Amino acid sequence: MTEILLNLVLGLVTAAMGTGFGWFSRTFLFRRELRRTQRFFGLPPGAECLLVVNRDFGGAADSVARNDTYALLELAGLVKECGAGFEVAAHDETRQGIGERTEFCVGGPGSNQRMAAHLATSLPGFTIEGEADFAVAGAAYRMERGVVEYVLLAKVAPGAGRRPLFLVCGQRSVANQAAARYLAREHARLARTYGVDGGFCLLLKVVNSGAYGPDAVELVADVSGAAVSRSRGARTA
């Protein structure tokens, strides 16, 4: 009986140790991944960031397109995941430099003058021709409403001690939402690819948004190098 009791006690102790080790490992991995996410977004616990939104082209002066609102919700979820807070500001009411705090800027330059300033300053090799055609790396990307829409997703890393700038610049608001959702889903992979402190500039394609909304997204190209250089003309893609 004593031997049976001893084996039972040893079994319980072993199980408890295994459970405790498993919990510790999961907690350690979760916290490490959270720290990487916070560093990637420049959002330590308690930090504040800025969500800059454009105006709805077809709406009232102070209205925001529905899909752009959804894009802000996606980004707000990321901020809360990092344990940080945010301020939502209109594009024409924002007065701060790059790097003072993390910024997420949403919308094309036609409806977001702050986006226009960011593109001219940080990504001069990316331009918009006509009403919505994108041009970068010698190629033009034309929108087909509801069939193919493009969106630029970029992280501008201003340097040590400064906060990053995230740009979501789509040909339509549904593309903005798609890019925000892509960032929420893929940020861990992006951090591994470009480093938690590194920048990038990606061109994404939203496929058949008329049927699938913002869910069908494809990576077209990494245009990081071309976007920071002056464009020398474009060919149709």
Side-chain angles (χ1 to χ4, degrees):
M1 180 65 69
T2 302
E3 184 177 350
I4 295 175
L5 182 59
L6 179 60
N7 289 336
L8 178 60
V9 171
L10 289 174
L12 291 174
V13 171
T14 301
M17 289 178 62
T19 301
F21 180 76
W23 175 86
F24 176 80
S25 298
R26 288 191 297 271
T27 301
F28 174 78
L29 292 174
F30 170 78
R31 289 179 177 175
R32 185 178 67 175
E33 189 61 34
L34 177 58
R35 287 193 296 270
R36 284 178 58 84
T37 299
Q38 291 168 336
R39 186 172 168 185
F40 177 78
F41 287 111
L43 292 173
E48 290 289 326
C49 73
L50 188 65
L51 303 182
V52 179
V53 65
N54 60 349
R55 304 289 195 186
D56 186 358
F57 256 145
D62 58 351
S63 64
V64 178
R66 182 178 61 180
N67 290 109
D68 285 334
T69 301
Y70 292 154
L72 291 178
L73 290 174
E74 297 274 3
L75 297 173
L78 285 173
V79 175
K80 288 300 182 182
E81 179 184 333
C82 293
F86 61 86
E87 173 191 353
V88 178
H91 71 102
D92 53 355
E93 298 175 355
T94 305
R95 301 291 185 273
Q96 75 167 42
I98 298 175
E100 295 181 19
R101 53 178 168 165
T102 295
E103 177 181 340
F104 299 88
C105 192
V106 176
S111 60
N112 186 328
Q113 66 186 36
R114 189 165 174 85
M115 176 67 76
H118 287 325
L119 293 176
T121 300
S122 302
L123 302 174
F126 173 80
T127 59
I128 297 180
E129 302 175 346
E131 292 187 359
D133 292 345
F134 287 178
V136 64
Y141 299 87
R142 294 177 177 172
M143 176 183 70
E144 296 180 55
R145 182 179 292 267
V147 179
V148 174
E149 289 110 356
Y150 294 95
V151 55
L152 189 79
L153 173 63
K155 176 187 177 184
V156 179
R162 309 287 285 172
R163 303 298 189 192
L165 164 67
F166 291 87
L167 303 179
V168 178
C169 178
Q171 292 173 326
R172 292 181 63 208
S173 62
V174 67
N176 294 333
Q177 183 187 357
R181 184 170 294 180
Y182 181 93
L183 180 61
R185 185 178 66 246
E186 301 290 341
H187 63 80
R189 182 183 61 81
L190 293 172
R192 289 192 299 270
T193 302
Y194 300 100
V196 290
D197 299 318
F200 56 81
C201 185
L202 307 178
L203 187 67
L204 307 176
K205 178 170 67 176
V206 185
V207 181
N208 201 354
S209 65
Y212 305 129
D215 291 334
V217 183
E218 299 175 1
L219 174 62
V220 177
D222 179 337
V223 295
S224 303
V228 298
S229 304
R230 293 290 177 182
S231 178
R232 298 182 179 180
R235 64 180 186 279
T236 301

